[in-house]
């Protein structure tokens, strides 16, 4: 079964970003397009890393492993997996990767790749989207 990682360019995320509320800090369309470009080699590496960590997922209840790879602005990459508990208070792979990066002092991120054992895309849940919007 082939999985297809979902790659999010965080510069193009429109969830409650500071630019929507602060007109003085807005960048021109051309500057935004330059910021949003990512070479295909980096995108492929990020996608592969998100697939590679699927085996570390702890998902005994859903049997639905999810892996994520987060690209920081300085080029470092942090990975994460979903972790389930019987209380249903688990941790999604995306937030796991973000928490690892944040705990190491990173505050600026470029992209995140998300992989699962689905044959299609696996978009982040609403909680992860809000989390990414607030810390990115």
């Amino acid at each position: 079964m082939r999985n297809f990682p979902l790659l999010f360019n965080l510069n193009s995320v429109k969830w409650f970003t500071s630019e929507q509320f602060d007109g003085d800090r807005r960048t021109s369309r051309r500057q935004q397009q330059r910021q949003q470009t990512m070479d295909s080699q980096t995108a492929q590496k990020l996608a592969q890393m998100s697939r590679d960590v699927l085996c570390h997922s702890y998902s005994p209840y859903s049997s639905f492993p999810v892996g994520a790879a987060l690209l920081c602005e300085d080029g470092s990459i942090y990975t994460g997996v979903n972790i389930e508990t019987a209380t249903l208070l688990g941790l999604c792979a995306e937030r796991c990767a973000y928490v690892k990066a944040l705990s190491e002092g990173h505050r600026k991120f470029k992209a995140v790749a998300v992989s699962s054992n689905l044959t299609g895309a696996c978009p982040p849940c609403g909680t992860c989207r809000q989390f990414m919007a607030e810390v990115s």
Side-chain angles (χ1 to χ4, degrees):
M1 179 179 285
R2 182 172 176 190
N3 58 7
F4 297 92
L6 188 59
L7 184 65
F8 289 95
N9 186 335
L10 297 177
N11 290 323
S12 63
V13 172
K14 298 298 182 199
W15 310 298
F16 307 111
T17 61
S18 60
E19 289 126 17
Q20 291 174 330
F21 305 108
D22 187 359
D24 295 334
R25 292 176 35 191
R26 288 189 183 159
T27 56
S28 71
R29 175 170 270 173
R30 191 172 208 49
Q31 288 172 325
Q32 288 175 351
Q33 288 172 345
R34 267 187 259 138
Q35 291 172 351
Q36 292 175 9
T37 58
M38 182 187 335
D39 63 275
S40 64
Q41 186 177 13
T42 302
Q44 288 174 359
K45 178 180 178 183
L46 206 58
Q48 185 60 47
M49 288 181 77
S50 73
R51 284 190 293 265
D52 290 346
V53 296
L54 281 173
C55 62
H56 301 299
S57 168
Y58 181 71
S59 49
Y61 304 103
S62 69
S63 298
F64 183 65
V66 180
L70 174 66
L71 176 63
C72 299
E73 192 174 73
D74 69 354
S76 57
I77 297 174
Y78 288 86
T79 59
V81 295
N82 61 324
I83 301 166
E84 297 177 351
T85 64
T87 62
L88 301 177
L89 293 174
L91 182 64
C92 295
E94 302 91 309
R95 283 183 286 145
C96 181
Y98 268 87
V99 168
K100 286 169 68 175
L102 289 165
S103 69
E104 296 293 325
H106 294 278
R107 298 292 184 266
K108 295 186 179 190
F109 312 104
K110 285 186 173 181
V112 61
V114 183
S115 295
S116 72
N117 59 2
L118 293 176
T119 56
C122 179
C125 69
T127 303
C128 286
R129 290 178 188 214
Q130 185 63 38
F131 187 91
M132 289 189 288
E134 288 188 26
V135 300
S136 292

